[in-house]
Amino acid sequence: MKLTKQIGLGLLIFLAPALAAQAQTAVNYEVSFKEPQAHYADVKMHVDGLKKEYIDVKMPVWAPGSYLIREFSRNVEGFTATSGKKTLKTEKLKKNTWRVYTGSSNSVDINYSVYAFEVSVRTSFIDASHAFLSPTGIFMYPDNQLALPSTVKVIPFEGWYKVSTGLEPVAGRQFTYTAKNYDILFDSPIEVGNQDVFEFTAAGVKHEVAMYGGGNYNAERLKTDMAKVIEQATAIYGENPNKHYTFIVHNFQRGGGGLEHLNSTVLGASRDAYATEKGYKGFLGLVAHEYHHLWNVKRLRPVALGPFDYENENYTTDLWIAEGFTAYYENKLMLRAGLISKEEFIETLTKSMSDVINTRGGYVQSAAMSSFDAWIKYYRPDENSKNSSISYYSKGEIVGMLMDLEIAHATQGKSSLDQVMKAMYEQCKIKGRGYTDAEFKTMVEKISGISFTGFWAKYVNGTEPVEYEKYLGYAGIKVKDEGQKEAYLGIATKVTEGHLLISAVSRNSAAWVDGLNVDDELIGVEGAYAQPAVEKMPVMQQKKIGDAVRFQIRRDGLDKEISVKLKASPNVELVSSVDPAGTAVEKAVLKAWTGI
């Protein structure tokens, strides 16, 4: 005991100078836009108090929530450093690291420009009308100093008057914000321009919606319906962790996608789709998805996802929970908010289950490995992806549904996945860290009162077919496959510069087995000119399972003929309906599952 105290005191003495130096260090950013029409942001990074011969500054290589190395440093230009009027020597050490030789100065100004012209929710974009700043692609950080606080002053371009962000404003300083560490700064996107801004309060929290790009939305209707979603999400967890929340919405001719942040989100939408039922519900579903991430992934998170390593991949096998369950819950929130009917809810999930069953890669790659390999597979799809992999979004959504139904069945409707999610949220708060896969499984077993070892082996770590009749049957839902078991070729096509090319071949299909290849040019089918919808051609419609079909193709400039023996389609088209004569237990499970 005495020895332990001595070692602890020694460590404190050893660390005291470093801690004092960090406490005295200040980092301030100033972002301006000299040439927005050319898509540039100009960044000035002022560092005070780092008493070293040199400072290494780094640019992140990825954005949390989007699991791909994006190499943001490729957009950096004109890196220079000064101290007062003195120009300092700089050196680039590697792809995302610059060294500044301070010349014993305590105060250093680093200047650089960032080219920003990629439209997505995860990358920065600047033009004459606005600037969207995704922080991991804009702000460098001092090496090994991610705990440092910082301030950001935004200087809007002439004619721009608004800034929208989840960052905390600095009192008395216009367009100036503060972050207590880099995890917060990098998790707080910034919209600059003349966006339409409206506000509402839900779950006791002020919400700001910043709409860029116009659109046929009705702000009052959105306030009401977005609030309904937020109230339902908060009800699951018993509290809303925010003081304020910001929606940044980019309305384009065709837009989509979203990226979650600690107290904000960025959404892509189609500006003219709000007036249609499908478009409006699609937008609210996106709101529900990203808002649920406030808990699931931002606070209730896999242990690997925070604190972040911004220079390397952060591997986890649990994105099927973080993203897949969120995809599942967007439907539950829409249902509970009264924005879709119970029939729509069941139909949507049944279709999603059909899609998962019909994805050949789902019998090759597990949900856990889909999560782990996100860095090299999900964001880099190729012509064979559907044969070799499964999305952790879609597979996780179905695993979430099956798990929910299993819990409700085991407890006869007394519990559901809701209780698991809330308990895990509380556990992460208490432990001050994310969960492991084993800890999540333990909680599921605690809430349900049964073992989930077999379930994990089948659906999380394995690639077993989905037992849809069993699980939906728990809730008194009957499911049947209405897919036509007709002759099936198994290819997709595209027209490129007037040439009809095969763009994909489905695993174990007739085309796969008999050797039609991606990039083969289809010339003819049984002597008839090939058409883009090959399987709808009259000559194909006459064929039966087991018939051989002659394809005239051109491969690498050489003409060939390949005979393909047609097989039966393996695809399902599931249709479900609630059994009105369901048992009391089935009705209790249905109620627990839907929450209504």
Side-chain angles (χ1 to χ4, degrees):
M1 179 67 72
K2 188 178 293 185
L3 180 63
T4 302
K5 287 184 178 179
Q6 289 174 342
I7 291 173
L9 181 61
L11 281 172
L12 285 174
I13 294 171
F14 177 76
L15 291 173
L19 292 172
Q22 179 167 304
Q24 295 169 4
T25 302
V27 183
N28 303 298
Y29 298 91
E30 189 175 279
V31 185
S32 58
F33 310 93
K34 296 174 186 175
E35 297 182 294
Q37 83 291 346
H39 321 299
Y40 280 93
D42 299 290
V43 182
K44 179 179 180 180
M45 177 182 180
H46 180 80
V47 185
D48 264 331
L50 279 179
K51 299 179 180 179
K52 298 172 62 179
E53 292 182 7
Y54 60 83
I55 302 170
D56 289 344
V57 293
K58 296 177 176 288
M59 178 73 84
V61 302
W62 69 288
S66 180
Y67 306 101
L68 175 69
I69 299 299
R70 295 186 180 275
E71 311 293 19
F72 294 122
S73 57
R74 64 192 170 89
N75 296 316
V76 173
E77 299 178 18
F79 185 94
T80 61
T82 59
S83 178
K85 296 182 179 180
K86 181 182 178 182
T87 300
L88 300 178
K89 177 185 174 182
T90 65
E91 179 183 6
K92 191 169 185 180
L93 301 183
K94 59 180 185 178
K95 65 179 182 181
N96 70 321
T97 306
W98 288 259
R99 177 164 290 176
V100 177
Y101 294 91
T102 66
S104 300
S105 174
N106 292 334
S107 179
V108 173
D109 287 319
I110 298 168
N111 293 274
Y112 57 92
S113 297
V114 179
Y115 180 74
F117 196 55
E118 182 179 349
V119 176
S120 83
V121 295
R122 62 193 72 86
T123 51
S124 299
F125 180 90
I126 301 168
D127 67 9
S129 65
H130 81 129
F132 169 63
L133 307 180
S134 182
T136 49
I138 297 293
F139 300 111
M140 296 186 186
Y141 64 95
D143 189 22
N144 296 316
Q145 301 290 329
L146 289 170
L148 285 176
S150 61
T151 63
V152 176
K153 179 180 180 180
V154 179
I155 303 176
F157 186 64
E158 182 179 356
W160 296 354
Y161 303 106
K162 298 177 183 178
V163 175
S164 299
T165 181
L167 286 169
E168 294 295 327
V170 176
R173 296 172 62 185
Q174 188 180 36
F175 302 144
T176 304
Y177 307 89
T178 183
K180 66 179 182 180
N181 57 51
Y182 278 93
D183 282 334
I184 291 176
L185 176 61
F186 289 152
D187 211 13
S188 302
I190 303 170
E191 176 70 22
V192 189
N194 294 312
Q195 58 272 21
D196 178 26
V197 176
F198 59 87
E199 298 177 350
F200 63 92
T201 299
V205 175
K206 176 184 173 183
H207 292 77
E208 174 185 315
V209 182
M211 289 281 199
Y212 165 78
N216 59 2
Y217 57 87
N218 181 318
E220 294 305 314
R221 186 185 181 195
L222 282 176
K223 288 180 188 180
T224 299
D225 289 340
M226 291 171 74
K228 291 177 182 177
V229 170
I230 290 162
E231 296 283 359
Q232 290 299 327
T234 304
I236 294 171
Y237 296 94
E239 66 177 21
N240 194 302
N242 294 312
K243 293 188 297 182
H244 56 85
Y245 188 91
T246 302
F247 292 93
I248 297 174
V249 185
H250 293 150
N251 293 300
F252 296 109
Q253 183 177 4
R254 289 182 297 275
L259 187 64
E260 70 276 3
H261 296 281
L262 195 64
N263 68 339
S264 63
T265 187
V266 185
L267 309 178
S270 298
R271 67 170 64 94
D272 295 324
Y274 295 94
T276 67
E277 181 181 15
K278 180 180 178 182
Y280 186 68
K281 288 182 178 180
F283 176 75
L284 290 175
L286 182 59
V287 168
H289 182 105
E290 300 305 335
Y291 202 86
H292 186 252
H293 272 312
L294 278 187
W295 297 273
N296 191 29
V297 93
K298 283 301 170 186
R299 293 161 176 89
L300 158 60
R301 60 177 176 79
V303 69
L305 298 185
F308 292 112
D309 177 350
Y310 293 99
E311 287 195 274
N312 299 288
E313 295 88 343
N314 292 227
Y315 292 103
T316 175
T317 57
D318 292 319
L319 293 179
W320 60 274
I321 300 173
E323 287 292 355
F325 280 22
T326 302
Y328 173 56
Y329 266 92
E330 74 181 70
N331 297 303
K332 297 188 80 169
L333 295 178
M334 290 285 284
L335 172 65
R336 294 173 183 181
L339 299 169
I340 61 173
S341 67
K342 184 165 65 177
E343 290 72 25
E344 287 177 294
F345 171 74
I346 296 171
E347 181 184 355
T348 297
L349 288 171
T350 302
K351 184 181 183 305
S352 295
M353 188 156 52
S354 296
D355 292 342
V356 166
I357 293 169
N358 291 339
T359 301
R360 300 299 102 194
Y363 304 97
V364 176
Q365 185 187 54
S366 69
M369 285 312 300
S370 174
S371 303
F372 193 83
D373 282 342
W375 299 91
I376 57 174
K377 287 184 179 286
Y378 183 75
Y379 288 96
R380 293 174 175 168
D382 59 29
E383 70 282 352
N384 197 45
S385 291
K386 289 188 177 181
N387 291 322
S388 61
S389 61
I390 186 78
S391 163
Y392 49 82
Y393 284 85
S394 55
K395 183 64 178 288
E397 178 182 24
I398 299 309
V399 172
M401 180 183 72
L402 302 183
M403 186 181 293
D404 203 357
L405 287 164
E406 187 74 277
I407 295 168
H409 174 70
T411 61
Q412 296 192 345
K414 295 181 178 64
S415 296
S416 71
L417 188 58
D418 289 5
Q419 283 70 44
V420 174
M421 300 300 282
K422 182 178 180 180
M424 288 305 298
Y425 169 65
E426 296 292 341
Q427 179 175 298
C428 287
K429 280 202 307 181
I430 292 169
K431 292 191 173 184
R433 62 165 175 80
Y435 59 82
T436 65
D437 183 78
E439 287 173 334
F440 198 94
K441 176 175 176 288
T442 296
M443 186 62 75
V444 173
E445 293 176 333
K446 179 181 178 181
I447 298 294
S448 66
I450 63 172
S451 171
F452 266 76
T453 297
F455 184 98
W456 242 256
K458 284 183 178 180
Y459 299 122
V460 176
N461 298 317
T463 58
E464 295 291 319
V466 175
E467 299 171 278
Y468 54 84
E469 290 178 319
K470 168 187 172 181
Y471 287 97
L472 287 173
Y474 288 156
I477 297 173
K478 294 185 175 181
V479 191
K480 59 181 178 179
D481 176 15
E482 293 189 352
Q484 299 297 315
K485 302 308 177 187
E486 56 193 11
Y488 173 72
L489 178 60
I491 65 170
T493 63
K494 64 181 179 181
V495 177
T496 303
E497 297 180 351
H499 300 279
L500 179 60
L501 306 178
I502 296 177
S503 57
V505 179
S506 181
R507 180 181 289 273
N508 294 330
S509 66
W512 172 286
V513 171
D514 288 329
L516 288 178
N517 291 351
V518 168
D519 290 334
D520 283 349
E521 181 180 356
L522 286 175
I523 307 298
V525 182
E526 295 278 307
Y529 285 113
Q531 299 172 13
V534 177
E535 299 199 52
K536 300 296 183 183
M537 291 176 62
V539 66
M540 290 293 293
Q541 293 290 297
Q542 297 169 12
K543 300 294 183 179
K544 298 181 179 60
I545 296 169
D547 286 351
V549 182
R550 292 177 295 109
F551 289 88
Q552 292 77 46
I553 68 166
R554 184 168 294 130
R555 181 181 296 170
D556 191 29
L558 300 177
D559 291 345
K560 295 177 178 290
E561 182 169 283
I562 293 180
S563 180
V564 176
K565 186 176 181 180
L566 298 179
K567 300 174 68 175
S569 172
N571 294 332
V572 302
E573 187 178 338
L574 302 180
V575 177
S576 58
S577 59
V578 179
D579 184 358
T583 67
V585 171
E586 288 171 347
K587 290 177 180 178
V589 170
L590 180 64
K591 183 178 179 180
W593 178 43
T594 60
I596 60 172

